[in-house]
Amino acid sequence: GFCLQQVCCLSVLMMAGSTLRKVKSRSWKKQRHFRLLEDGLTIWYKSRWAGKGHSTFSVMDVEAVREGHQSEVMLSIAEEFPAELCFTLVFHGRQGNLDLVADSPEEAQAWIQGVRKLIHKAQTMDEQERQDQWVRDWFQKADKNKDGKMNFKEVKKLLKMMNVEMNEDNALHLFTMADKCESGSLEIEQFVHFYQMLTQRDEVWKVFQDYSGDGERLTLEELETFLRLEQGEGDQSSQHAQQLIQRYEPSETAVKESSMSLEGFQMYLCSQEGSVFNPALLELQQDMNQPLSHYFISSSHNTYLLEDQLRGQSSLEAYIQALKRGCRCVEVDCWDGSDGEPVVYHGHTLTSKILFRDIISTLKEYAFKVSDFPVIVSLENHCGVEQQTVMATHLRQILGEMLLTAPLDGQIPHMLPSPQELRGKILLKAKKIGGLETHLDETLTDEVSDEDETANGDAESPSKSKLSRELSDLVVYCKSVHFHGFEHARSQAKCYEMSSFSESKAKKLAKDAGSEFIRCNARQLCRTYPSGLRTDSSNYNPQDMWNVGCQIVALNFQTAGLEMDLNDGRFRQNGCCGYVLKPDFMRDADSSFSPDRPEDRPGYKPARLSIQVISAQQLPKVNQKEGSIVDPLVRVEIYGVPQDQTKEETGHINNNGFNPVWNETLNFIVHSPELALVRFVVEDHDKTSRNDFIGQFTLPFTCIQPGYRHIHLLSKDGTAIPPSSVFVNVNVSELT
């Protein structure tokens, strides 16, 4: 016989892996990384540079291990490599030999003895779990009554001690799998198996092995090489490598040696810096000194609603939620109240009412908590002159200095001021008597056939209505006007005039005159809003409106789903400040860009996006049914100009939400990268009904970091669901 302990030591060394030279002839000698997989039966090897390819063979297929120069190939290189470094694996049947040269006699012996013992073990023993001394030590530490057993409760406590984040259902599932005798407790061998199942991230290990010379750690140089070749970091890779070691390496010894262990490497990959979203672009970093019309502005529709627009609750909370989410344009629907105080609700429906002045107080408190760039209050005014004047009084008294009541420099503007100049200001968007140029008498009849009212089916609104001078005077840069066509806008319109369009009208304009719409939106603001038929407060896709440069694309913030995911994705960059600079070709009043023909614009540079979906980690359970486990798939969706709207998905993996592995590559061509958003969605595959949503993450194409990245998933409501993530390898290149 032989000692089990010895097999363990050799196995551990072989599982850690070695770089050996594979020799095919005197001239063909290449380094390959070899290691024993966790099953103790499979040997895996690959070239450090051969991309994703690797080879494996089973120990069962090996007939014998020959030491020294015992094959034709080995004899041909005998002068170059001494016998004590050389060995040959001989396979059963017709497979060729594998001739290998180790770096040291000790390493050669370890593999020779190790493989021989494994062959012996494979022949004589049943499958035994690989022993992992470290886990055994923990087990012994935690086994207080020394009976060599642990129930689930004790195991949970031990995992907490070992700092393993785990999903309880999943851990219980693995515990049950490891508890072969169904005794309700694990013995040490079973626990080792359980722990390996729980924490194995083979796919991260493989990446680590590609760059680690010794399979144990990454030297500073190796880490730099990884950052340069895989993570797309050019010259800054050397200081960055040093910072990453300082930041993520748990072993003090490794930090002292400026190297990184597998554990540190995995921590880096799972961190914000290892995220698919370039962390530099999360900060406020765009030019904020351009006219307001040059930005996309995060905007809410029916902001007062928490639910649907027929019966829902009107609520101040809805304003707080929207503003906290970075919204910079809120809607207020005002009606005459019974006691002289204007109220806000969805007219002619059963939604509850809130006082106008309470909304303005809420606004004062929350407008600038998340961002200090201006907030636009879009007023849908159904009040008579008297209560309009009450509204004006509330606005002035409650908001004070925050309310913008006159042009910034007292001049008639030729272009809109910038977000920077308007920091901390609240702007009123409403109808105005005359323009900034004129001061007319007390009240005037002004046309009120503004798109907003007619489109919202408000038939009772008279076509002529009185405007209160006091309220009118508070409108400076956002005067609501009826749209009379692009020709009129080009020749007559002022930069502070703006129109609102229902989604169908905006879509039609975009389809018929996309380029004109873009040019108009370079100079003036424009607002779009969901069709009045969407009584369930559903949303339209904002991308169609962004494609033609509409800035104020109003969405029902209270309604979760794809459309809000896109909005969150668009505005997650630039410090979540609610303003994102439009691409340069949309800020030019003479732009010839057309979303239907992106290839016609000067400077057209399409991109190729390739995403290898490697694996996912700890996906949340969707179906609460007892014992149900997700069958996940990953879909990558592109939103952008019409040519860019596309999606690709992986296959699904049965019953694995903890660590499913796909290794599938999805490829895309993106014609207008500056406008595109990329949405990663994970779903639970269902043969008979619609797939269940598990999680998603959306980001602008321009914010993607290439390389090995984690995508930290968000729930349906856009909130984080740690530790759920998807591990990908992203490649972005110019289409040549």
Side-chain angles (χ1 to χ4, degrees), residues 294 518-520 522-523 583-592:
H294 288 187
I518 286 172
R519 290 195 286 273
C520 180
R523 208 175 108 79
D584 55 2
F585 54 82
M586 299 188 114
R587 310 194 298 257
D588 173 4
D590 303 318
S591 172
S592 59

Side-chain angles (χ1 to χ4, degrees), residues 452-520:
D452 270 330
E453 269 106 322
T454 46
N456 280 346
D458 182 13
E460 286 139 71
S461 178
S463 62
K464 303 275 187 201
S465 121
K466 297 273 186 176
L467 279 186
S468 138
R469 156 66 77 197
E470 285 83 349
L471 191 61
S472 163
D473 282 350
L474 299 180
V475 177
V476 184
Y477 293 118
C478 301
K479 175 186 174 179
S480 295
V481 299
H482 191 65
F483 179 69
H484 294 291
F486 292 123
E487 180 49 53
H488 175 268
R490 195 168 49 246
S491 56
Q492 307 289 314
K494 312 273 191 279
C495 67
Y496 58 81
E497 294 179 333
M498 60 179 291
S499 301
S500 288
F501 304 102
S502 75
E503 62 179 280
S504 46
K505 178 79 194 276
K507 272 207 171 115
K508 188 173 182 337
L509 288 173
K511 193 164 158 286
D512 299 345
S515 291
E516 288 214 70
F517 210 164
I518 286 172
R519 290 195 286 273
C520 180

Side-chain angles (χ1 to χ4, degrees), residues 341-365:
E341 279 292 343
V343 290
V344 173
Y345 73 110
H346 205 66
H348 312 303
T349 59
L350 301 172
T351 58
S352 62
K353 302 175 170 64
I354 28 183
L355 290 176
F356 174 78
R357 63 164 191 239
D358 290 345
I359 288 177
I360 302 307
S361 300
T362 302
L363 210 55
K364 178 186 167 74
E365 192 176 340

Side-chain angles (χ1 to χ4, degrees), residues 261-298:
S261 67
L262 175 59
E263 209 184 338
F265 184 65
Q266 187 163 316
M267 282 168 80
Y268 150 64
L269 285 178
C270 293
S271 74
Q272 181 84 65
E273 291 182 81
S275 154
V276 73
F277 200 119
N278 181 343
L281 300 179
L282 286 171
E283 307 302 316
L284 182 67
Q285 39 81 40
Q286 296 182 350
D287 175 6
M288 302 308 286
N289 291 299
Q290 304 208 22
L292 280 184
S293 53
H294 288 187
Y295 297 83
F296 293 125
I297 303 172
S298 181

Side-chain angles (χ1 to χ4, degrees), residues 488-670:
H488 175 268
R490 195 168 49 246
S491 56
Q492 307 289 314
K494 312 273 191 279
C495 67
Y496 58 81
E497 294 179 333
M498 60 179 291
S499 301
S500 288
F501 304 102
S502 75
E503 62 179 280
S504 46
K505 178 79 194 276
K507 272 207 171 115
K508 188 173 182 337
L509 288 173
K511 193 164 158 286
D512 299 345
S515 291
E516 288 214 70
F517 210 164
I518 286 172
R519 290 195 286 273
C520 180
N521 285 334
R523 208 175 108 79
Q524 286 175 271
L525 289 172
C526 135
R527 175 174 177 270
T528 64
Y529 57 89
S531 139
L533 300 172
R534 294 180 180 270
T535 51
D536 57 351
S537 292
S538 59
N539 281 313
Y540 55 99
N541 187 327
Q543 186 67 43
D544 301 331
M545 312 302 172
W546 292 328
N547 284 343
V548 287
C550 300
Q551 305 86 349
I552 300 178
V553 178
L555 295 176
N556 290 299
F557 268 51
Q558 70 276 20
T559 307
L562 163 68
E563 299 81 13
M564 275 308 293
D565 292 347
L566 296 177
N567 199 69
D568 287 347
R570 170 75 66 212
F571 293 103
R572 188 168 278 117
Q573 61 187 317
N574 205 28
C576 288
C577 75
Y579 285 80
V580 166
L581 195 58
K582 296 199 269 189
D584 55 2
F585 54 82
M586 299 188 114
R587 310 194 298 257
D588 173 4
D590 303 318
S591 172
S592 59
F593 176 72
S594 159
D596 291 324
R597 294 188 313 281
E599 63 283 355
D600 291 354
R601 87 171 172 87
Y604 164 67
K605 265 204 187 71
R608 189 188 294 281
L609 173 65
S610 164
I611 295 171
Q612 184 195 16
V613 179
I614 304 172
S615 63
Q617 292 70 47
Q618 285 142 293
L619 298 172
K621 193 168 153 176
V622 182
N623 192 328
Q624 292 313 316
K625 276 208 307 289
E626 193 53 49
S628 80
I629 299 172
V630 296
D631 305 329
L633 63 90
V634 177
R635 189 166 56 250
V636 177
E637 305 172 343
I638 312 281
Y639 295 87
V641 297
Q643 262 170 277
D644 288 341
Q645 307 273 5
T646 179
K647 48 185 76 167
E648 296 279 329
E649 64 184 42
T650 65
H652 67 275
I653 289 181
N654 286 325
N655 281 342
N656 188 345
F658 190 66
N659 55 358
V661 175
W662 289 274
N663 280 323
E664 288 185 51
T665 301
L666 310 176
N667 291 304
F668 303 92
I669 287 168
V670 183

Side-chain angles (χ1 to χ4, degrees), residues 181-339:
C181 1
E182 300 181 8
S183 64
S185 60
L186 300 185
E187 293 177 9
I188 193 158
E189 314 302 337
Q190 297 171 325
F191 180 73
V192 170
H193 179 53
F194 164 81
Y195 182 78
Q196 281 173 342
M197 291 193 295
L198 190 70
T199 54
Q200 189 57 47
R201 292 271 321 260
D202 221 26
E203 70 283 16
V204 173
W205 202 95
K206 283 175 185 166
V207 179
F208 183 79
Q209 289 303 328
D210 287 350
Y211 287 89
S212 164
D214 63 0
E216 292 291 320
R217 56 189 195 127
L218 292 171
T219 63
L220 191 57
E221 286 70 25
E222 287 166 346
L223 181 54
E224 274 176 48
T225 305
F226 169 77
L227 295 174
R228 202 173 57 248
L229 295 183
E230 299 288 358
Q231 306 300 78
E233 297 185 14
D235 317 330
Q236 75 267 44
S237 60
S238 56
Q239 328 87 288
H240 197 206
Q242 193 65 61
Q243 288 166 356
L244 293 179
I245 291 170
Q246 296 290 336
R247 218 166 286 163
Y248 301 110
E249 177 51 58
S251 148
E252 288 169 28
T253 325
V255 174
K256 281 204 187 77
E257 295 169 352
S258 289
S259 67
M260 188 179 255
S261 67
L262 175 59
E263 209 184 338
F265 184 65
Q266 187 163 316
M267 282 168 80
Y268 150 64
L269 285 178
C270 293
S271 74
Q272 181 84 65
E273 291 182 81
S275 154
V276 73
F277 200 119
N278 181 343
L281 300 179
L282 286 171
E283 307 302 316
L284 182 67
Q285 39 81 40
Q286 296 182 350
D287 175 6
M288 302 308 286
N289 291 299
Q290 304 208 22
L292 280 184
S293 53
H294 288 187
Y295 297 83
F296 293 125
I297 303 172
S298 181
S299 305
S300 145
H301 176 246
N302 287 350
T303 315
Y304 45 86
L305 294 183
L306 274 173
E307 295 158 67
D308 73 60
Q309 52 202 60
L310 288 184
R311 296 173 302 280
Q313 182 66 22
S314 300
S315 160
L316 296 171
E317 181 57 32
Y319 284 90
I320 298 172
Q321 296 297 340
L323 291 164
K324 275 191 172 162
R325 222 166 158 166
C327 176
R328 298 283 88 193
C329 178
V330 296
E331 187 185 12
V332 183
D333 226 343
C334 292
W335 302 78
D336 281 339
S338 50
D339 53 359

